[in-house]
């Protein structure tokens, strides 16, 4: 059977002929004679017309069958990215038996629209519906199944991945609007692929960039870094990125050569890669409106694009039109804040033990690491001492454990520190790996010697920052802790010098964990804008969480949680030592 059969697939075919086409296509894929699902796009009907890539050909890599373990697409708005994500999900799931996709988005409203409006409509109108679905296939907002036993799961996890923990054996994780995802939450979501066959466990990230240290941009900078290059007859190779020629390629009526000013043909473009050695493991593609035929090939849309250039704020222009990142996220604390908050002692275990008796209460905070799939996560421990007079907290000692330690080794180290300092409280992150380590702590006597506080981060702006959830059959008691509000309070305490730290230069790598925390504005599940605190850039933030858990645990138990307003006023007051 010729490959041209699939390239020219148009209109309804008899069932037997359609079965023959799909079977032949599957054979060609298996034999490696074809590596793209794009020829099957005409099977999907949108607004009465069969789909194709005539205008959106720059997205063809997204439809490839054999791909690296990780792929990231950093795109401008309105270049067909989300439609390509959905159509690829449909084609791959309907063609490959037992291929299970999980599509995650930040908001519930986004997930609902994609699942019920876009995905379901395309499937129901597809020319091969009778071959891929039957009455026995589950079909709901969260799960769309096919008759070949493949499934597409839908979820959202912008601020809380807990609702996705029950999924397993996912073949491919597809993250759309990745710029609004929390990398720590995505590490948890990635565990849904832990039981996938070895040939699967595929990551696909798509989105429109925001800040330079945003999760999506960090991923792109780790990838092969593909940029569209359009050659000109004058010999100039125009590379469509801000680092190269993008702004000079904006002409009065279309995309032009950055050297001679002649109009360029985007169909002559191809991807060139900044880091070609990454192509086999982590491919990356950047697409802007400037070189996209939908915009540069239409006079009305190009005039609208020029109007955006004149009227959009710089950050919005770079993000939504150029598909480029702009600026850094707003940081909670700076290096200067951390240096000013020093208590004058180094981060030295032996010296910290000698000073432990100066404090009325000592607490150990633990942020258990999971290694991390995309952003490394380490187990960090912090020991804090509390002075009732003045309600001040001093971070006496912090340490980061190397990845690879067994759970029992980590629990024993935490117990050794708690015993050495005679700490009365151990506050830890009880989600995920934390529960196992809590059991191990109890086995070595933690419950008899100290009060163990299991925290679980949540986003709950309308509830108490800390809330007790009593034990129910099958689940132990725990305390929910609002992540954004608690971190904001801890950082405000640092700026007000009510929470003091070791000398910066004695542990700069641990101190930079605090600088890794950034503030972002996102939409909640119903579209309202919310303020969240997330990890930014590539540096870990585990030490900051260990300190936060310890501080929140002690303040809660001793009923001495400071007021954020008072801390903010104190931090803004003139420094008496200046």
């Amino acid at each position: 059977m010729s490959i041209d059969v699939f390239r020219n697939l148009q209109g309804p075919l008899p069932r037997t002929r359609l079965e023959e086409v799909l079977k032949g296509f599957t054979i060609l894929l298996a034999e490696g004679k074809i590596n793209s699902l794009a020829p099957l796009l005409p099977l999907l009907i949108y607004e009465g017309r069969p789909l194709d890539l005539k205008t959106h050909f720059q997205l063809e890599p997204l439809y490839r069958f054999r791909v690296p373990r990780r792929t990231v697409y950093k795109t401008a708005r309105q270049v067909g990215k989300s439609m390509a994500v959905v159509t690829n999900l449909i084609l791959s799931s309907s063609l490959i038996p037992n291929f299970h996709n999980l599509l995650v988005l930040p908001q519930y409203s986004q997930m609902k629209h994609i699942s019920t409006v876009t995905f379901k409509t395309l499937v129901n109108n597809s020319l091969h519906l009778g071959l891929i679905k039957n009455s026995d296939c589950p079909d709901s907002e969260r799960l769309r199944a096919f008759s070949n036993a493949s499934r597409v799961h839908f979820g959202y996890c912008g601020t809380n991945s807990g609702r996705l923990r029950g999924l397993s054996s996912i073949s491919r994780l597809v993250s759309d609007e990745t710029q609004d995802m929390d990398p720590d939450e995505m590490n948890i979501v990635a565990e849904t692929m832990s039981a996938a066959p070895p040939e699967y466990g595929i990551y696909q990230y798509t989105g429109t960039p925001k800040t330079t240290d945003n999760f999506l941009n960090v991923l792109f900078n780790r990838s092969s870094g593909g940029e569209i290059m359009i050659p000109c007859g004058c010999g100039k190779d125009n590379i469509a990125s801000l680092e190269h020629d993008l702004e000079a390629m904006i002409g009065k009526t279309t995309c032009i050569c950055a050297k001679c000013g002649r109009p360029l043909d985007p169909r002559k473009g191809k991807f060139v890669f900044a880091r070609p050695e990454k192509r086999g493991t982590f491919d990356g593609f950047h697409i802007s409106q400037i070189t996209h035929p939908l915009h540069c090939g239409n006079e009305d849309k190009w005039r609208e694009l020029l109007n955006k250039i004149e009227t959009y704020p710089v950050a919005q222009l770079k993000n939504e039109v150029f598909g480029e990142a702009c600026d850094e996220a707003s940081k909670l604390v700076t290096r200067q804040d951390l240096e000013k908050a020093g208590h004058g002692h180094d981060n030295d275990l032996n010296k910290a033990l000698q000073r432990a008796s100066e404090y009325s209460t000592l607490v150990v905070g633990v942020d258990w690491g999971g290694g991390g799939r995309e952003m490394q996560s380490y187990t960090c421990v912090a020991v804090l001492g509390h002075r009732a007079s003045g309600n001040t907290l001093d971070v006496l000692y912090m340490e980061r454990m190397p990845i690879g330690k067994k759970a029992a080794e980590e629990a024993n180290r935490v117990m050794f520190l708690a015993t050495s300092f005679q700490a009365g409280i151990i506050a830890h992150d009880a989600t995920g790996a934390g529960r196992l380590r809590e059991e191990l702590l109890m086995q070595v006597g933690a419950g008899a010697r100290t009060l163990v506080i299991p925290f679980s981060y949540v986003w709950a702006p309308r509830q108490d920052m800390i809330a007790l959830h009593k034990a129910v059959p099958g689940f132990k008691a725990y305390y929910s802790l609002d992540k954004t509000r608690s971190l904001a309070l801890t950082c405000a305490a640092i700026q007000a010098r009510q929470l003091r730290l070791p000398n910066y230069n004695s542990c700069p790598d641990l101190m930079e964990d605090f600088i890794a925390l950034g503030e972002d504005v996102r939409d909640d599940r119903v579209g309202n804008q919310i303020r969240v605190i997330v990890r930014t850039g590539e540096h870990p933030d585990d030490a900051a969480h260990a300190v936060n858990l310890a501080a929140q645990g002690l303040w809660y138990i001793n009923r001495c949680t400071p007021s954020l307003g008072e801390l903010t006023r104190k931090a803004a007051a003139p420094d008496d030592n200046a």
Side-chain angles (χ1 to χ4, degrees), residues 1-10 17 28 34 39:
M1 180 176 289
S2 169
I3 294 176
D4 290 336
V5 171
F6 312 109
R7 291 178 178 153
N8 298 319
L9 182 63
Q10 294 288 340
R17 178 60 174 153
L28 289 174
I34 193 168

Side-chain angles (χ1 to χ4, degrees), residues 290-566:
I290 307 304
T291 58
H292 196 284
L294 182 65
H295 300 276
C296 67
N298 182 288
E299 291 184 6
D300 290 336
K301 286 191 173 292
W302 191 259
R303 280 194 294 268
E304 181 61 27
L305 185 149
L306 296 178
N307 182 60
K308 293 175 187 176
I309 293 174
E310 294 294 326
T311 59
Y312 274 15
V314 173
Q316 185 181 7
L317 175 67
K318 288 184 177 181
N319 294 165
E320 299 188 4
V321 179
F322 297 162
E324 295 269 19
C326 180
D327 301 327
E328 290 188 346
S330 175
K331 303 295 185 183
L332 268 69
V333 292
T334 64
R335 174 169 177 167
Q336 186 179 26
D337 292 330
L338 300 174
E339 289 175 338
K340 284 184 176 181
H343 49 52
H345 301 280
D346 288 347
N347 187 52
D348 182 277
L349 177 57
N350 292 327
K351 292 179 180 178
L353 286 168
Q354 294 172 12
R355 303 197 319 275
S357 60
E358 300 173 9
Y359 299 89
S360 57
T361 310
L362 289 118
V363 56
V364 174
V366 190
D367 183 43
W368 306 105
R373 294 299 187 97
E374 299 302 353
M375 308 283 270
Q376 288 297 317
S377 174
Y378 302 82
T379 291
C380 273
V381 187
V383 182
L384 278 63
H386 182 241
R387 298 182 191 271
S389 175
N391 191 25
T392 58
L393 274 173
D394 284 353
V395 178
L396 302 179
Y397 178 70
M398 296 183 289
E399 71 175 42
R400 194 191 316 275
M401 298 187 195
I403 289 177
K405 277 188 173 295
K406 295 180 180 178
E409 293 177 312
E410 292 185 340
N412 285 333
R413 180 61 179 173
V414 170
M415 201 61 216
F416 166 78
L417 292 172
T419 303
S420 300
F421 280 94
Q422 297 184 359
I425 302 170
I426 297 177
H428 75 108
D429 175 12
T431 56
R435 278 301 182 190
L436 169 62
R437 286 158 175 80
E438 183 178 340
E439 292 288 344
L440 294 171
L441 286 175
M442 294 300 185
Q443 290 175 17
V444 293
R449 305 175 193 175
T450 57
L451 172 65
V452 177
I453 304 177
F455 278 124
S456 178
Y457 273 139
V458 297
W459 181 73
R462 295 177 179 85
Q463 301 175 18
D464 291 340
M465 186 172 70
I466 298 177
L468 171 63
H469 298 260
K470 295 182 179 180
V472 296
F475 296 92
K476 289 188 173 183
Y478 70 95
Y479 293 87
S480 60
L481 176 64
D482 187 281
K483 181 178 180 180
T484 291
R485 284 188 289 164
S486 65
L487 286 169
L489 186 66
T490 293
C491 289
I494 291 172
Q495 292 169 323
R497 299 194 73 247
Q498 197 157 329
L499 197 168
R500 304 191 302 172
L501 303 165
N503 293 332
Y504 187 97
N505 289 331
S506 69
C507 52
D509 184 63
L510 290 165
M511 289 294 194
E512 287 184 14
D513 286 28
F514 293 91
I515 301 175
L517 296 174
E519 186 176 283
D520 200 2
V521 176
R522 298 179 179 173
D523 293 336
D524 66 9
R525 69 189 302 273
V526 293
N528 299 318
Q529 285 200 328
I530 59 172
R531 170 177 168 265
V532 295
I533 293 173
V534 296
R535 174 181 173 183
T536 62
E538 298 210 43
H539 195 85
D541 61 355
D542 311 284
H545 290 294
V547 170
N548 184 50
L549 294 167
Q552 299 298 335
L554 187 142
W555 286 333
Y556 181 79
I557 294 301
N558 287 357
R559 299 184 179 181
C560 59
T561 302
S563 160
L564 180 60
E566 290 177 4

Side-chain angles (χ1 to χ4, degrees), residues 58 74-76 209 227-230 236-251 254-259 264 286-292 296 302 305-306 309 317-325:
Q58 295 168 347
K74 184 179 74 167
T75 75
E227 301 284 359
I228 291 175
M229 185 278 290
I230 306 177
K236 167 69 176 175
D237 288 339
N238 296 273
I239 299 178
S241 74
L242 288 177
E243 185 180 355
H244 294 92
D245 307 307
L246 186 62
E247 289 183 289
M249 295 167 67
I250 303 171
T254 189
C255 176
I256 62 172
C257 174
K259 180 181 179 181
L264 293 173
H286 168 227
I287 301 172
S288 78
Q289 290 186 7
I290 307 304
T291 58
H292 196 284
C296 67
W302 191 259
L305 185 149
L306 296 178
I309 293 174
L317 175 67
K318 288 184 177 181
N319 294 165
E320 299 188 4
V321 179
F322 297 162
E324 295 269 19

Side-chain angles (χ1 to χ4, degrees), residues 25 29 34-40 53 60-61 63-66:
F25 196 94
L29 280 174
I34 193 168
N35 190 35
S36 176
L37 301 176
L40 289 179
L53 288 182
E60 187 278 330
Y63 292 90
R64 290 174 188 170
F65 180 69
R66 294 173 183 83

